[in-house]
Amino acid sequence: HVQLVESGGGLVQPGGSLRPSCAASGFTFSTYPMRWYGQAPGKERELVAFISSTGGGGVTRLRDSVTGRFTISRDNVKKTVYLQMNDLKNEDTAVYYCKAELPTGAIWGQGTLVTVTS
């Protein structure tokens, strides 16, 4: 079945790093762009990062607030998308979700919690 499974969140101090990952199954992963969203406590879920398929040119886009600190990447052999999070700030605290937009509908991961606190 179609599924996205996330892992790699955790508790870190400001300035620290994490690398959540999202493992895909049940669809042709390499064909589709992937996205990471973040939902901070009490706030709406918002797009954080985007990566196109290789066929789409491998384009990446980041929310302005994380540009220069985060990097989205994918491994089409492992069928996994990553979010490298560096220089983490308190305002990055959120549940992070990966998403695939398939012709049959959106697929979401279960989310992984990133907590940044001193």
Side-chain angles (χ1 to χ4, degrees), residues 13-57:
Q13 294 181 327
S17 297
L18 288 171
R19 197 191 189 201
S21 62
C22 173
S25 61
F27 65 97
T28 308
F29 174 79
S30 62
T31 303
Y32 296 95
M34 298 293 294
R35 296 168 171 85
W36 284 97
Y37 288 75
Q39 187 166 21
K43 297 184 178 180
E44 298 295 321
R45 192 174 299 182
E46 62 183 19
L47 181 65
V48 175
F50 164 91
I51 185 167
S52 73
S53 66
T54 300

Side-chain angles (χ1 to χ4, degrees), residues 1-7 21-30 32-37 45 74 78-82 96-102 105-112:
H1 62 285
V2 175
Q3 189 174 27
L4 300 173
V5 179
E6 299 179 351
S7 61
S21 62
C22 173
S25 61
F27 65 97
T28 308
F29 174 79
S30 62
Y32 296 95
M34 298 293 294
R35 296 168 171 85
W36 284 97
Y37 288 75
R45 192 174 299 182
R74 66 192 298 159
K78 295 182 178 179
K79 301 179 70 173
T80 301
V81 62
Y82 304 92
Y96 287 84
Y97 302 86
C98 62
K99 178 191 178 185
E101 188 71 37
L102 274 63
I107 306 298
W108 292 89
Q110 81 284 358
T112 187

Side-chain angles (χ1 to χ4, degrees), residues 51-64:
I51 185 167
S52 73
S53 66
T54 300
V59 174
T60 63
R61 298 293 299 274
L62 297 168
R63 177 169 290 275
D64 287 347

